[in-house]
Amino acid sequence: MEKTSVQPSQRILALDILRGMTIAGMILVNNPGTMQSYAPLQHAEWIGLTPTDLVFPFFMFIMGITTYLSLRKFKFEWSKACARKVLKRTFLLWLIGLAVTWLVMLFQGMENPHNAQLPFTERLYLSTDTFAHLRLLGVLPRLGICYGLSAVIALSVKQQYIPWIIAVIFIGYYILLECCNGFAHDSSNILAIVDHAILGPGHVYNADTPDPEGILSTLPALAHVLIGFCVGRSIMNLQDLNEKIERLFIFGALLTFSGFLLSYACPLSKKLWTPTFSLVTCGLASTLLALLTWLIDKKKHQDKLTRFFHVFGVNPLALFVLSDILLIPFGIILFNGSSIRVMIGEHILLPLLGIKAASLVWAVLFVLLNWCFGYMLYKKKIFIKL
């Protein structure tokens, strides 16, 4: 990762705010305080859409826009500097994702009660040797893969052809789902079969169902990022802010309505990353970005709440990785048989608030903890980029 004290390039402030909202949302829903949480803070089990299902696709949509902004500096032409940047960011995202997963598994093994009676060196060896069960894909690897592939396409193909590439990916993926048992919620699903055959059952999220960030579902996720790229290309070439807002609203309405209409044939599913899921979530992200641009950049409603999300928005991936690392001292390492999360969430908050409210309060406190670290970077104008 690189540290720089240079201010980010001038662009729509609402873009950073929306990105900050998605990172805060991802940290919130990934770190509940108890075993149960409110329904809006849970992912849809298989088919359907909840507010929680929006945060990751919103971030990927924004990544598509920022990919356009990043590659525009190279005039969308291959060069050594451009290729080095694309490759570096792609593999860093993937490798950091693997490293964080391995680190969490290491501490889980060290705190496993089944290993408590073993000597320290043997316990450390068993906890370290988890590569046979290391998940190879996930949120950060998906971001890296989709960024790398979208950048290659943007640099290698005329941009007017990218919407056709998106259409081909979506249509081909839908045909695959329809013809190869792709909507089944079990190991007979073609997505699960491919994941198990290539990655192995020990390297996926769940051996009984398709990996939500699996191999084949990366294709529509790539198309998802390319939608963001096309939206970015369309609005960033406009000089007038009103025209940008208007176009974002138009894209949002078209994508959202088309996604919901097509969902009668192709259901919405984050775990499958169906084409309709991409259309609807990209449409909602574009609409929300239009609204925030109108409020923040046009009407200048910039207050403490805006600054709160801006802290997350200028160091998004660094704070997301930090939230996973902070899970180790707060959720895995045991003190007198309990983690800090259990001691606060279940022993203090649960008796006072009830199980679901306690879960929410802990999650909010965890978001605020990450914000405090982010604010220290923000105050010193340090922006950590991959």
Side-chain angles (χ1 to χ4, degrees):
M1 293 188 288
E2 299 175 352
K3 291 185 178 181
T4 177
S5 296
V6 179
Q7 287 281 359
S9 58
Q10 294 296 320
R11 58 185 178 207
I12 297 175
L13 177 60
L15 191 65
D16 286 331
I17 304 305
L18 179 56
R19 184 166 55 185
M21 292 170 65
T22 63
I23 290 298
M26 289 168 73
I27 297 173
L28 181 77
V29 301
N30 286 344
N31 298 279
T34 62
M35 295 300 293
Q36 296 183 34
S37 57
Y38 292 109
L41 299 178
Q42 301 175 24
H43 289 290
E45 183 177 355
W46 187 243
I47 301 297
L49 186 68
T50 72
T52 295
D53 293 324
L54 299 177
V55 287
F56 187 30
F58 273 28
F59 187 85
M60 294 190 68
F61 173 81
I62 297 166
M63 186 173 74
I65 296 177
T66 55
T67 298
Y68 173 82
L69 294 173
S70 175
L71 297 180
R72 184 169 64 174
K73 300 173 185 177
F74 298 98
K75 299 180 180 179
F76 301 101
E77 295 177 353
W78 283 107
S79 65
K80 288 184 179 180
C82 180
R84 185 164 53 248
K85 179 177 181 178
V86 171
L87 289 173
K88 178 183 175 182
R89 191 163 194 245
T90 298
F91 284 103
L92 268 180
L93 284 168
W94 185 56
L95 291 174
I96 291 173
L98 290 184
V100 171
T101 301
W102 176 82
L103 193 63
V104 169
M105 292 178 67
L106 166 65
F107 280 91
Q108 286 176 334
M110 292 294 291
E111 298 295 334
N112 191 329
H114 295 294
N115 299 334
Q117 303 303 319
L118 297 175
F120 177 81
T121 53
E122 186 175 349
R123 187 153 44 106
L124 180 62
Y125 172 76
L126 290 174
S127 303
T128 304
D129 187 23
T130 56
F131 296 102
H133 305 286
L134 182 66
R135 187 185 179 198
L136 298 178
L137 298 176
V139 172
L140 287 175
R142 168 156 288 187
L143 289 174
I145 293 169
C146 289
Y147 164 76
L149 292 176
S150 62
V152 169
I153 291 172
L155 292 167
S156 306
V157 177
K158 291 183 178 180
Q159 292 181 8
Q160 58 264 36
Y161 296 146
I162 292 180
W164 294 102
I165 295 175
I166 296 170
V168 168
I169 291 174
F170 279 165
I171 293 170
Y173 185 67
Y174 171 67
I175 292 173
L176 179 72
L177 293 177
E178 282 287 356
C179 298
C180 301
N181 206 30
F183 293 103
H185 193 192
D186 54 43
S187 58
S188 68
N189 190 304
I190 182 61
L191 276 66
I193 292 172
V194 171
D195 288 340
H196 295 167
I198 297 177
L199 301 175
H203 298 292
V204 296
Y205 185 75
N206 191 325
D208 298 323
T209 57
D211 192 312
E213 281 83 40
I215 294 173
L216 290 179
S217 62
T218 301
L219 292 172
L222 166 62
H224 188 111
V225 175
L226 289 175
I227 291 176
F229 180 91
C230 291
V231 171
R233 174 174 177 258
S234 178
I235 64 171
M236 293 304 171
N237 286 330
L238 298 173
Q239 296 298 320
D240 185 72
L241 186 61
N242 289 323
E243 290 183 9
K244 291 182 179 181
I245 295 170
E246 179 182 313
R247 191 161 296 186
L248 282 169
F249 270 123
I250 292 172
F251 282 133
L254 290 175
L255 291 169
T256 302
F257 281 111
S258 62
F260 275 122
L261 286 173
L262 293 172
S263 68
Y264 289 100
C266 179
L268 302 173
S269 174
K270 177 187 180 295
K271 289 182 170 62
L272 297 173
W273 212 283
T274 53
T276 50
F277 174 78
S278 280
L279 291 173
V280 168
T281 53
C282 283
L284 293 175
S286 183
T287 303
L288 182 55
L289 180 58
L291 178 61
L292 291 174
T293 304
W294 178 76
L295 283 172
I296 296 170
D297 294 277
K298 181 176 173 61
K299 294 297 183 179
K300 303 299 180 182
H301 289 297
Q302 300 174 17
D303 50 22
K304 292 181 180 180
L305 185 61
T306 305
R307 182 182 300 177
F308 177 85
F309 289 116
H310 198 214
V311 168
F312 284 106
V314 294
N315 279 304
L317 294 174
L319 292 179
F320 180 73
V321 171
L322 175 66
S323 71
D324 282 342
I325 294 175
L326 287 178
L327 178 65
I328 295 171
F330 284 89
I332 297 176
I333 296 178
L334 303 181
F335 303 91
N336 296 323
S338 294
S339 67
I340 296 176
R341 181 191 64 80
V342 170
M343 286 189 286
I344 296 177
E346 297 186 8
H347 296 168
I348 298 176
L349 297 176
L350 178 58
L352 293 174
L353 304 172
I355 189 166
K356 292 184 178 179
S359 178
L360 175 60
V361 170
W362 167 261
V364 171
L365 290 174
F366 194 74
V367 171
L368 293 175
L369 175 66
N370 284 271
W371 181 86
C372 290
F373 284 98
Y375 183 69
M376 288 188 287
L377 298 176
Y378 182 85
K379 196 172 182 180
K380 295 180 180 179
K381 294 182 170 58
I382 296 175
F383 307 100
I384 302 174
K385 300 181 179 181
L386 295 180

